[in-house]
Amino acid sequence: MSRPVLQVTDLKKIYGTGEATVHALSGATMTVHRGDYVAIMGSSGSGKSTLMNILGALDIPTSGSYLLDGVDVSRLSDGQLALARNRLIGFIFQAFNLIPRTTAVANVELPLAYAGVKPKERRRRAMEALDVVGLADRAGHEPNQLSGGQQQRVAVARALVTEPALLLADEPTGNLDSKSTDDVLQVFDDLSAAGRTIVIITHEDEVGARAKRLIRLVDGAIVTDVRQSPIHLPPVGAIRRSAGRAVVAGRHSL
Amino acid sequence: MNFFEVVRFSLRGLNANKLRSALTMLGILIGVAAVILLVAVGNGSAKTISDRIEALGTNTITVMSAGRGGSSSTALTRDMADALIDPELAPDVKSVSPVVSSSSATMTYEGTDHSVATFVGTTPTWFAASTTPVGRGSAFTSDDVDQGRRVVVIGKTVAEELFPGVDPLDKQVTVGGALFTIVGVLDEKSSTGFNDGNDTAVAPLTAVQQVLTGYGALTSIIVEAANPDKVDAAQAEVSTILNQKLDVSSSSTSTPYRIQNASSLLETQTETADTFTTLLGAVAAISLLVGGIGITNIMLVTVTERTREIGIRKALGAPRRVILTQFLIEATLLSVLGGGLGVAAALIGAQFQIVGVQPVIVPSSIGLAVGVSVAIGLFFGGLPAARAARLRPIDALRYE
Ligand SMILES: Nc1ncnc2c1ncn2[C@@H]1O[C@H](COP(=O)(O)OP(=O)(O)OP(=O)(O)O)[C@@H](O)[C@H]1O
Ligand SMILES: [Mg+2]
């Protein structure tokens, strides 16, 4: 088998000092291979977001090692980290994190701008990504003019627009109704079928059920790690549908 | 990502935060305009003062009695004045004009009274020495002085008060119970301070002594040097002659008279004006500082939001260099634009009189004001950005 996309070993994250110490992660170890579709579940405060932030190279662990595509992230320079975040990873925040007073389409364009894509091409791809999440008609709206679910979908579009090889999503359907949830998951299924690696955090069992692998976190430690479907086949959601509409074409690969 | 794109990002950033941008610019604008304008006002008033003193004549020396009350030992006399006209002992003296003046003379013409602020009795040389040319008519002559003829040259104010719409020449006015014939009207003079320089009348020394002041001491003697470079030489010659006349020993430190010359007056006045300018400059600097604190305040208030924004941008893969450039360009645009508008406002403001003074812009104040404001803008705009760009994205996102 090829080298894993993600490999974390004995990952620990400790917040605070003395009395107020919180062990957000207490020795998590896991390996994710290319093309896998992993759902992480666990109660609130179990350390899911903490783990995801480290996987997205946004935070560093207190101890333990993290290899991204075989490279030790702690050894990367600021410039290399920026490159990895921009080209390799698509990150969807639990709190959306859109830039205020900036239109939806400008928000979605942002990662493309940092990747050096020309303005015209940028606009076209941003509109496409917004179309995928069903928000093409809201492109000119600013975040405070959008509902929570719409903001979340803009955040999803922003993560998809660079067509990243690795998609990290922190509760991407937390604010969505079942219809929108289904639409977004459809996009994920298509991406997975196209060979992308996906890690998604969720509280909803039906979302977890569509992933190829389900990991449960309790108090910062992985307690179960179940394979639900083979890694080399399309996810159940994509099989269930007829030939999936190939919304997102492959560009990067690990 | 090329530079042009980063500039576009900065413009979009400024546009997205219009109120913040406007307030920051306003702060810089006011600071810069205040500094330039206040310094210009100080400079303008200094210039006005020196212009006026120069108009008094820079090649004259005024001799005044040091003692008050005119005791005979310290009094200036006609005799002394005559002694100063001496081609041997005082070769640098061009003319000597003894002066008596009265500030309580009332001039009457056909039932209209006017109290003349300064009624001067002197000799014809006075007109040239005090740079007070006669506009219409003519000055009186030395013959008039010798004969004690009652003729008078009046200032503009007096002419307007007593002869509204009437030609004052050859009219007869009553002063101190005696009839005087008006032979001339002085040119209009710029006023020095609170005294109206045009509220004056000039008559032959002898006539004024006879009618108004009596034959006592002179008020002053105005000595005109041959040229402005000879003022100091003339002053030395004058003191030598006066010391001789008044029996002042050369070792004595105090003299019974005082000598004033316009250039020394100019020096003290310029010094005073410089102090004034410095003071105004200090006030202006404080206003710039306060403006700067205002800017800092606005910037600090938005640091939280901006830090979060930087966190998002870093998470999306923005290199530190691009973020820094964007925020520095934003800060530069704001401060340069604000500074430029401030300079424009000051230049426009300098076209108008401010508290009676025509401001004169000091070029270095423009450089200083703009420099300081740009520095403040860059520092307080750039510092938080530089700090935030160094943070890990997650820490920037959590910043409060
Ligand atoms: N910056 C921080 N400082 C201190 N403690 C923190 C910090 N961030 C997270 N924690 C703590 O770490 C633990 C794990 O937090 P985390 O955000 O990973 O939870 P989560 O599993 O994502 O929860 P949720 O499902 O509610 O999003 C929590 O107990 C939280 O209080
Ligand atoms: Mg969370």
Side-chain angles (χ1 to χ4, degrees), chain A residues 13-16 20 22-25 42-53 59 94 170-171 201 203 217, chain B residues 395 398:
Chain A
K13 182 74 182 179
I14 301 168
Y15 288 114
V22 177
H23 291 263
L25 284 179
S43 56
S44 178
S46 56
K48 305 183 296 293
S49 294
T50 305
L51 176 62
M52 198 62 120
N53 291 337
D59 204 354
Q94 190 171 7
D170 195 346
E171 297 200 32
I201 292 176
H203 274 126
L217 270 184
Chain B
D395 291 332
R398 283 210 192 100

Side-chain angles (χ1 to χ4, degrees), chain A residues 13 15 53 58-60 78 82 85-86 93 97-101 106 110-111 113-114 116-117 119 122 158, chain B residues 1 5 8-9 12 16-17 305 308-309 312-320 322 326 392-394 397-398:
Chain A
K13 182 74 182 179
Y15 288 114
N53 291 337
L58 305 176
D59 204 354
I60 52 166
D78 191 77
R85 289 176 197 132
N86 188 242
F93 291 94
N97 282 335
L98 302 178
I99 293 186
R101 291 185 291 282
L110 216 51
Y114 289 126
V117 177
R122 216 153 74 192
R158 188 176 62 184
Chain B
M1 205 174 177
E5 285 239 46
R8 279 207 353 201
F9 264 50
R12 195 177 295 167
N17 303 283
E305 187 189 297
R308 289 183 55 88
E309 183 186 327
I312 298 172
R313 288 175 184 276
K314 282 200 83 167
L316 296 178
R320 187 189 300 171
V322 172
Q326 178 195 335
R392 250 174 270 137
I394 210 71
L397 280 169
R398 283 210 192 100

